[in-house]
Amino acid sequence: MIAVASLIVLVAVIALSAITKKNAGVIGLIAAYIFGLIASACGTEISVAKIATSNWPMSVFFIVLSTTFLFGIATLNGTTQALSKNIVCLAGGNARILPLIFFVFGAIISAAGAGGLIVAVIMPIALFVAIENGISVLMMSLVTMGGIMVGGLSPLAINGIVAQQLSVENGIIAENLSGYLPLWGAYAAAMTLFSLGAYFILGGLKPKKVEGAEKPHFTKFNRSQTMTLIAILVVLVGVIFFEQNIGLISFACAGLLLLLGAVDQKKAIAAIPWSTIILICGMSVLIGVVNTCGGIDFLSGKLENIIGEKSAQPIMMVLGGLMGAVSSGTGVVMPTLIPLAAELSGTLNISAMSLVIGVIVGTNGVVISPLSTVGGICVGCAPESVDKDKLYNQLLLAAVCFIAMSVVLSLLGAFGIFG
């Protein structure tokens, strides 16, 4: 049966990518082409010649390209690094509030468009500050990642862009900011609650005293960094208040920064995360083929037999968490499960918003796991004095705890206020 075979191929691509550590988008494109040939030969109405052109997500592709182009420039010319260092000065020597400052700062920068990958810039500084000020490395890691991921679901960041676009395309929300806010709010509430729990449980109020710790100094922004800050502000104002297309305005601002000499052109273009873009778009092509072959409909029919009104959201959280732990949430999990949620909503007469909230919370909650890109970067950023194997296991357990917490909240009806 072609529908079942298409799902097997999807699972195989995800597994092969996890085992070999190769880009799932590249593997997905190959699989889409080969399976498309097989499906066509078996009588499925699928145009092999149009597999890529019909399923390549042009809107998401351009938005991701443009926003990462702009924030790649910000990273290259030191703008994000300077911002991260200066935020430490706000603590005024009070170690207790440093993790909360990094939470808020990470959320703001990530929400402005930098997305979850900004962890690579903020986390090294956060963990250095933690060690220098007697703060638990695990707690600082969880709180900082929590803030970054709260911002990472904003409609300006990659994860948020993908979540919003998929929800709009599947008729779950209206194509405006107010339609997306409940989805973002549900995840932000869950991750904030988890981060605050980590802060209090892991000694946020009782940091160890460190003698001779040097207070950080304010870092002045140079000409290029000032121009970059202005460009980011223009994007924010344009998108939020004047409803400008985020892709076009981000690309325009990035281009102007190049013309003004704010960064080296070759380095800026090379800094665009092409692997992430290929991952997202390549897997979208494969999922398009799976959908054409009836795989999504088949999975939807099977889940109808086990999902009930109360269990639907928790099941989608666990499913999103399990898939998100071993594959890309933006490139694989959300593009697979959000259309499925829309299908289940119609057949089971369950709120589509409720199901998508489950998908988004579960999928993006496990990014704190070291198996994910964000969690993996966190472990890699840890200073030499940190036991990285121990931190790896702690973050893995933390991801499980987040999903468990979210499932309990779901069963208690806590997410009902969001939809």
Side-chain angles (χ1 to χ4, degrees), residues 172-173 179 182-183 313 345 350-358 418-419:
I172 297 166
I173 62 173
L183 297 178
Q313 190 180 74
S345 172
I350 298 174
S351 166
M353 282 289 287
S354 175
L355 294 177
V356 174
I357 284 173
F418 298 101

Side-chain angles (χ1 to χ4, degrees), residues 13 22-32 275 278-283:
V13 167
K22 301 300 181 182
N23 191 300
V26 174
I27 302 174
L29 274 171
I30 297 171
S275 62
I278 292 173
L279 168 64
I280 293 171
C281 297
M283 286 304 297

Side-chain angles (χ1 to χ4, degrees), residues 330-399:
T330 53
V332 179
V333 188
M334 288 193 291
T336 300
L337 295 185
I338 289 179
L340 176 61
E343 179 74 19
L344 286 172
S345 172
T347 57
L348 298 178
N349 196 27
I350 298 174
S351 166
M353 282 289 287
S354 175
L355 294 177
V356 174
I357 284 173
V359 171
I360 289 176
V361 171
T363 301
N364 295 283
V366 296
V367 297
I368 60 177
S369 160
L371 297 174
S372 74
T373 302
V374 173
I377 290 175
C378 177
V379 175
C381 288
E384 291 298 322
S385 59
V386 175
D387 185 338
K388 294 189 178 183
D389 289 336
K390 182 180 179 180
L391 181 61
Y392 183 99
N393 293 329
Q394 289 172 330
L395 292 180
L396 196 60
L397 178 60

Side-chain angles (χ1 to χ4, degrees), residues 71 75 80-81 83-84 87 98-127 139-161 180 184 187-196 330 360 364-369 372-379 381 395 402:
F71 279 90
T75 299
T80 49
Q81 291 91 328
L83 280 171
S84 297
I87 202 68
L98 278 172
L100 301 178
I101 287 178
F102 274 100
F103 178 91
V104 173
F105 177 65
I108 292 172
I109 296 299
S110 179
L117 294 181
I118 198 65
V119 69
V121 175
I122 297 177
M123 191 58 74
I125 300 170
L127 295 185
M139 186 267 287
M140 181 64 96
S141 298
L142 293 175
V143 173
T144 302
M145 282 194 290
I148 290 171
M149 290 316 302
V150 165
L153 262 290
S154 89
L156 302 180
I158 294 178
N159 286 30
I161 290 168
Y180 177 67
W184 183 20
Y187 174 73
M191 184 54 79
T192 299
L193 180 62
F194 182 80
S195 299
L196 289 175
T330 53
I360 289 176
N364 295 283
V366 296
V367 297
I368 60 177
S369 160
S372 74
T373 302
V374 173
I377 290 175
C378 177
V379 175
C381 288
L395 292 180
F402 176 84

Side-chain angles (χ1 to χ4, degrees), residues 42-319:
C42 293
T44 303
E45 293 185 9
I46 183 172
S47 173
V48 177
K50 295 181 179 180
I51 282 177
T53 55
S54 299
N55 299 296
W56 190 272
M58 282 303 301
S59 177
V60 174
F61 167 74
F62 185 68
I63 291 172
V64 173
L65 169 67
S66 302
T67 54
T68 54
F69 186 23
L70 175 60
F71 279 90
I73 291 174
T75 299
L76 283 172
N77 64 21
T79 303
T80 49
Q81 291 91 328
L83 280 171
S84 297
K85 291 178 180 178
N86 288 338
I87 202 68
V88 178
C89 296
L90 296 177
N94 188 343
R96 286 192 295 261
I97 66 173
L98 278 172
L100 301 178
I101 287 178
F102 274 100
F103 178 91
V104 173
F105 177 65
I108 292 172
I109 296 299
S110 179
L117 294 181
I118 198 65
V119 69
V121 175
I122 297 177
M123 191 58 74
I125 300 170
L127 295 185
F128 175 80
V129 169
I131 292 174
E132 289 290 305
N133 292 272
I135 299 169
S136 163
V137 169
L138 174 61
M139 186 267 287
M140 181 64 96
S141 298
L142 293 175
V143 173
T144 302
M145 282 194 290
I148 290 171
M149 290 316 302
V150 165
L153 262 290
S154 89
L156 302 180
I158 294 178
N159 286 30
I161 290 168
V162 172
Q164 183 179 29
Q165 291 286 330
L166 288 169
S167 299
V168 170
E169 290 171 5
N170 286 278
I172 297 166
I173 62 173
E175 194 172 0
N176 53 47
L177 182 60
S178 60
Y180 177 67
L181 284 179
L183 297 178
W184 183 20
Y187 174 73
M191 184 54 79
T192 299
L193 180 62
F194 182 80
S195 299
L196 289 175
Y199 174 79
F200 287 112
I201 293 172
L202 298 175
L205 295 177
K206 296 181 180 180
K208 297 178 181 178
K209 293 184 179 180
V210 179
E211 298 296 333
E214 182 181 351
K215 291 184 179 180
H217 301 287
F218 182 82
T219 302
K220 292 184 179 180
F221 296 106
N222 59 31
R223 174 178 175 274
S224 296
Q225 293 164 352
T226 301
M227 289 192 297
T228 305
L229 286 173
I230 293 173
I232 294 171
L233 182 61
V234 168
V235 171
L236 289 173
V237 173
V239 172
I240 295 173
F241 297 105
F242 297 97
E243 298 184 352
Q244 294 297 300
N245 180 281
I246 184 175
L248 289 173
I249 194 171
S250 294
F251 201 94
C253 286
L256 286 174
L257 288 174
L258 289 185
L259 291 174
L260 294 171
V263 71
D264 180 83
Q265 176 177 287
K266 290 184 178 180
K267 291 181 179 179
I269 294 175
I272 295 173
W274 295 108
S275 62
T276 301
I277 293 173
I278 292 173
L279 168 64
I280 293 171
C281 297
M283 286 304 297
S284 291
V285 171
L286 175 59
I287 290 165
V289 171
V290 171
N291 191 33
T292 301
C293 293
I296 300 298
D297 290 337
F298 177 82
L299 183 59
S300 172
K302 291 299 180 183
L303 285 176
E304 287 178 23
N305 298 324
I306 62 173
I307 285 183
E309 186 174 351
K310 291 186 177 180
S311 65
Q313 190 180 74
I315 287 176
M316 297 305 282
M317 284 179 180
V318 173
L319 187 58

